[in-house]
Amino acid sequence: MIYESQTFRLEADDQILTLWLDFRGRTNHTFNLPILHELNLVLDRVASLPAPDVFLVRSSRPGVFLEEFGSTELARFQSPLEFAALARRGQEACRKIAALPFPTVALIEGRCAGAGLELALACDRRWVVAVPEASFDLVEGDRGLIPSWGGTYRLPKLVGKKEAAELWREGGVRPIAAKRVGLVDEVIRPSETAVRLLTLIDRTREGKPRASIRRLVRRFFVRLLNPIASLKSPPITDESASGTTSEAELRRAVTAGLSSEGEGLSAERAGFTRLATSEATRRRLELHAHARGTARPFAEPVGVIERLPRRIGIVGGGDLGSHLAVQLRRRGHEVVVQEENANGIDRASRRIRERQREQTFAGTQPDASDICVTSEWIGFENTDLAIEAAAEDPGVKRNLFHELERRVRPRVPLLTASTTISVETIQSEVLRPGRVAGLHLPNPDDRQPVAELVAGPQTDPGLIATLTSWVRSWGFIPARVADRPGRLVELVRLAYLSEGVGLIAEGLPTAGIDAGCRRFGMARGPLQWCDDIGLDRLAERTAQLQLARGDNYSRNLLFQRLIQIGCLGREVGEGFYRYGFTQRPSQITRMIQWQDLDEDAPAPYVFDPESALREGIERIVLRTVNEAAAALSDEPDADPATVDVALAFGMGWALAHGGPLRYADSLGLANVVERLASFAERFGSRYRPCDELIRRAEAGESFYGQPAETGRTAPALRIAG
């Protein structure tokens, strides 16, 4: 042992020098300033040692290599000098690794994100073990920042400018796709790690040429065979119309790096500092910092936190059940899916194969073991967790929970993935109500990784603490939400989508509505999102929610006229957009939707299209603010930050504004109430300000405790022409 601390271990064995990232005693694998200072000292020690054959950097914690610099730590910084010093020290550490006179290898056995990815880029080679958690996440854009430790210089140099732009826009990549673009040199199967690692080290010792030539050849053939893929995202050339943005600063840093490394690093530091001190980035960092501790109020263990389940049983192999099965199998669990008959088994198996294929195309290492699909409850006697994901029918669910209680062991948690049937209703029908709770994953991918946890009145507090620990280990942000139809994310999302469809009915342009919402900061425009979900699936969800609520919530998402003529969205090539070689708005859909309005909403004449569109985007935004505020009064923790985190990361609400409730504070609640009341009078009762907004406005309160702003009007929303 050459060096050992709570954070790093430096070992030498057979001319292999290994720097272990230990981070003992820490709950996460993230940097802070003291750790960064220590890393610089350790690298000075490495440079002074006799040259080894190979210098290996790896993590001792399963499932993670190294993650982004802590958002909580960044949120504490105030002055530009603090951010500039952080960037300079990080660049110094990466330059020390890059300058070592012997081969350097980053061995990645889990999540590699942000600062961790920048350290890996500074190494000569990157080898990744394809464990379920392995991923390369470029998280800076999500936090309103740019790489600050040399990533804007090294990534384009490694994979090419266009590929780097694609990676930054996508925000992450899995091992197979990472090797395809040249980010990774070798992908190792977990079962072959020990033998394969020795082989690769021996090849490195023999001085085999680096893979740069092979990478260039591979990149050439990828572009030759798939030219459209290389044009999918343009290079970083255009600045966003919203001023100093992370994309604009990224463009400047990459352009400067083409001249020299020194100029690139200097531009990177300056851009990082400008962004980090902007108000939009501060809002994003607050959200990320809170997301790290969202579960704290209800995660205090009443008993012992139970270990991760080995086998998970899922009842129902539909869209939701197959999604859960693939997600949980990829995270290393044994999964068994129960279907009612042979036809159900065939359909569920087909859906699971399709989802696994999608993950393979996205760069996820396919798993060798199959997910067991059965109609005989085989394997449920040994499950450690059971999740019901069957049809949204109270009678069906009642029978399934009775059957589950007979099939599983008494202490096994029984969860429902339903969004419309209450946990309290299910608890009233079972013998062990304390082991019943709700778990809902609002999104079919990992781009908005929120898991909604629902407790009924009889749910054991220790079960919620255990579920919180489990979903965090799966990489999701846990958010405890009220036991209401639609939960939280789906409820607000349907309002968002419904308002977008309503603007089409008033004659506003499809592309303008989506572009205006994205310009405000939403992750997706409402109409394209409808197409991605599928209009038939969306109509089914809306009908279920209306039945559970007993009202006409989001009535225009039933799409009766569109579904009749087969306009079902992206899957069939025609929805609000027509899909083909190019994507363009569908004139047929717009014509059919014309004046298909809510009953109490008069159709206005559009005299000024630009002004009408601007007001339309404001209506969409304030409707979601109103729904979020109405939901807050029912939330078990009544915490505005929890609601904002769930909606920002769960439905892609504009991160730069800090979530809908933070945005309402910035406008002033009195202004929000006044504007909503005006919309309610002109466009219908769905805009009527909720009681929570009215109460706080009249009392002069705000959601986050700052003095309420009273004299400010809503700023004009920037929209695309």
Side-chain angles (χ1 to χ4, degrees):
M1 186 73 64
I2 299 174
Y3 177 87
E4 184 174 15
S5 72
Q6 288 290 101
T7 311
F8 301 106
R9 278 186 293 129
L10 193 60
E11 296 178 346
D13 180 26
D14 192 23
Q15 287 299 300
I16 302 172
L17 188 62
T18 304
L19 175 61
W20 290 93
L21 310 174
D22 267 359
F23 288 41
R24 283 172 286 174
R26 291 176 58 85
T27 57
N28 51 51
H29 228 53
T30 61
F31 268 112
N32 57 28
L33 273 178
I35 292 176
L36 180 55
H37 293 323
E38 184 183 358
L39 176 62
N40 274 284
L41 295 175
V42 171
L43 292 174
D44 290 337
R45 181 76 175 273
V46 170
S48 67
L49 295 173
D53 292 342
V54 178
F55 176 59
L56 203 62
V57 182
R58 63 187 304 188
S59 169
S60 60
R61 181 175 295 187
V64 60
F65 173 71
L66 192 59
E67 297 182 298
E68 61 271 24
F69 197 91
S71 294
T72 305
E73 186 88 357
L74 286 174
R76 293 195 191 103
F77 292 173
Q78 297 296 328
S79 73
L81 292 177
E82 290 177 293
F83 290 105
L86 169 64
R88 190 179 297 277
R89 291 294 283 170
Q91 289 177 352
E92 183 181 350
C94 290
R95 291 185 77 171
K96 286 177 180 179
I97 294 175
L100 291 173
F102 36 80
T104 56
V105 178
L107 179 61
I108 297 158
E109 301 173 86
R111 184 172 184 257
C112 177
L117 179 56
E118 297 203 69
L119 285 182
L121 287 171
C123 295
D124 297 329
R125 298 170 175 83
R126 284 147 299 281
W127 303 339
V128 59
V129 180
V131 294
E133 301 88 354
S135 65
F136 297 88
D137 297 332
L138 293 86
V139 299
E140 289 83 3
D142 195 40
R143 301 199 291 179
L145 298 169
I146 62 172
S148 59
W149 294 5
T152 61
Y153 169 74
R154 293 188 179 92
L155 185 60
K157 185 178 178 183
L158 181 67
V159 304
K161 189 176 176 181
K162 286 187 177 181
E163 286 78 4
E166 175 73 14
L167 292 175
W168 276 316
R169 286 194 175 93
E170 291 294 326
V173 66
R174 295 286 180 182
I176 295 175
K179 185 177 181 183
R180 189 182 303 130
V181 300
L183 177 58
V184 165
D185 298 281
E186 299 289 344
V187 177
I188 305 170
R189 292 182 181 274
S191 59
E192 302 171 356
T193 301
V195 175
R196 184 70 174 146
L197 185 57
L198 290 175
T199 301
L200 292 172
I201 289 175
D202 287 341
R203 284 173 51 188
T204 304
R205 280 173 163 158
E206 293 168 4
K208 293 291 179 72
R210 293 176 57 182
S212 56
I213 297 177
R214 295 197 303 273
R215 187 180 300 118
L216 288 172
V217 172
R218 181 168 60 245
R219 191 187 307 156
F220 170 77
F221 279 106
V222 166
R223 291 186 181 182
L224 180 66
L225 296 174
N226 191 11
I228 296 175
S230 65
L231 298 175
K232 183 178 179 181
S233 290
I236 304 169
T237 55
D238 298 325
E239 293 188 23
S240 169
S242 58
T244 301
T245 65
S246 57
E247 186 169 345
E249 294 292 358
L250 192 59
R251 180 191 62 83
R252 294 189 186 101
V254 170
T255 303
L258 297 177
S259 301
S260 70
E261 180 180 2
E263 289 185 26
L265 296 182
S266 177
E268 182 182 81
R269 285 196 304 273
F272 173 77
T273 303
R274 281 192 293 268
L275 289 168
T277 52
S278 68
E279 186 64 24
T281 297
R282 306 304 294 173
R283 294 284 182 246
R284 288 173 181 260
L285 291 176
E286 286 176 9
L287 282 172
H288 281 274
H290 186 80
R292 285 284 184 180
T294 300
R296 207 174 294 130
F298 58 93
E300 300 288 338
V302 177
V304 177
I305 298 292
E306 299 175 23
R307 62 178 176 81
L308 278 170
R310 180 180 62 86
R311 174 178 292 175
I312 299 175
I314 298 174
V315 181
D319 287 336
L320 178 58
S322 60
H323 162 54
L324 285 168
V326 173
Q327 288 273 14
L328 294 171
R329 184 66 193 98
R330 187 165 66 79
R331 285 163 172 80
H333 301 279
E334 296 179 16
V335 177
V336 55
V337 176
Q338 164 67 20
E339 267 292 348
E340 56 183 352
N341 52 42
N343 290 334
I345 290 176
D346 291 340
R347 289 193 298 269
S349 299
R350 185 170 60 253
R351 291 190 189 100
I352 289 169
R353 285 194 301 269
E354 288 173 356
R355 290 188 178 275
Q356 287 178 322
R357 251 195 321 270
E358 289 170 4
Q359 290 198 349
T360 303
F361 291 149
T364 301
Q365 182 74 20
D367 205 296
S369 336
D370 291 329
I371 295 170
C372 175
V373 184
T374 177
S375 61
E376 302 295 333
W377 298 93
I378 296 172
F380 273 76
E381 68 280 1
N382 294 321
T383 57
D384 302 309
L385 171 65
I387 304 175
E388 174 275 318
E392 298 283 335
D393 183 298
V396 170
K397 291 186 185 293
R398 182 188 308 116
N399 294 335
L400 285 176
F401 271 90
H402 287 162
E403 189 71 24
L404 274 172
E405 282 198 302
R406 292 198 309 109
R407 298 287 182 176
V408 304
R409 291 168 295 174
R411 292 291 299 166
V412 171
L414 305 179
L415 307 183
T416 178
S418 169
T419 59
T420 58
I421 309 299
S422 71
V423 173
E424 183 178 8
T425 300
I426 296 170
Q427 285 180 331
S428 66
E429 300 284 344
V430 298
L431 298 176
R432 297 184 291 276
R435 303 300 289 172
V436 177
L439 170 66
H440 178 232
L441 304 182
N443 299 289
D445 53 40
D446 295 336
R447 296 296 299 277
Q448 285 101 28
V450 164
E452 294 179 313
L453 305 181
V454 186
Q458 301 181 68
T459 303
D460 292 339
L463 174 59
I464 293 298
T466 295
L467 291 177
T468 299
S469 174
W470 288 354
V471 299
R472 280 199 182 279
S473 69
W474 293 335
F476 293 95
I477 300 169
R480 185 178 176 186
V481 301
D483 187 16
R484 70 166 78 82
R487 307 311 184 210
L488 174 61
V489 173
E490 186 79 351
L491 193 70
V492 179
R493 174 165 51 197
L494 290 180
Y496 174 66
L497 301 180
S498 176
E499 287 302 306
V501 174
L503 295 184
I504 287 286
E506 295 178 14
L508 296 179
T510 304
I513 296 167
D514 280 347
C517 289
R518 289 194 301 270
R519 188 64 59 90
F520 176 76
M522 302 294 193
R524 300 191 198 181
L527 303 174
Q528 186 163 9
W529 204 349
C530 288
D531 281 356
D532 290 342
I533 295 172
L535 304 191
D536 51 343
R537 295 189 183 96
L538 198 50
E540 182 181 356
R541 292 185 199 177
T542 303
Q544 292 166 352
L545 184 63
Q546 286 185 351
L547 185 63
R549 287 171 56 98
D551 62 14
N552 288 329
Y553 191 83
S554 302
R555 181 193 68 82
N556 55 2
L557 294 183
L558 295 175
F559 299 121
Q560 290 105 329
R561 299 167 70 185
L562 291 179
I563 292 174
Q564 288 176 359
I565 63 170
C567 288
L568 304 180
R570 182 185 292 273
E571 191 172 346
V572 299
E574 182 94 34
F576 288 102
Y577 292 87
R578 177 167 289 180
Y579 300 90
F581 187 75
T582 60
Q583 175 183 316
R584 61 190 185 279
S586 170
Q587 297 303 319
I588 295 176
T589 303
R590 187 180 178 191
M591 179 181 66
I592 292 174
Q593 286 293 106
W594 175 256
Q595 292 192 1
D596 185 11
L597 295 165
D598 284 343
E599 296 172 359
D600 59 348
Y605 291 102
V606 179
F607 295 107
D608 183 351
E610 185 175 345
S611 175
L613 185 55
R614 183 180 295 108
E615 184 181 70
I617 304 304
E618 184 184 4
R619 286 162 54 190
I620 292 176
V621 171
L622 292 186
R623 170 80 192 281
T624 61
V625 168
N626 197 34
E627 294 295 338
L632 176 66
S633 58
D634 297 328
E635 290 302 308
D637 298 316
D639 179 16
T642 300
V643 172
D644 279 345
V645 165
L647 296 176
F649 295 109
M651 69 163 277
W653 210 93
L655 286 171
H657 294 290
L661 302 183
R662 172 69 79 177
Y663 179 66
D665 276 0
S666 72
L667 297 180
L669 299 193
N671 291 325
V672 173
V673 168
E674 181 182 356
R675 197 71 174 139
L676 283 169
S678 171
F679 288 154
E681 184 178 347
R682 294 168 55 199
F683 300 107
S685 59
R686 65 187 185 278
Y687 293 106
R688 185 176 297 124
C690 68
D691 292 342
E692 183 72 11
L693 274 175
I694 294 173
R695 181 188 68 79
R696 289 178 182 263
E698 290 179 346
E701 298 177 1
S702 64
F703 289 108
Y704 282 84
Q706 295 92 347
E709 301 185 37
T710 55
R712 182 176 171 188
T713 57
L717 300 175
R718 302 195 65 168
I719 59 174

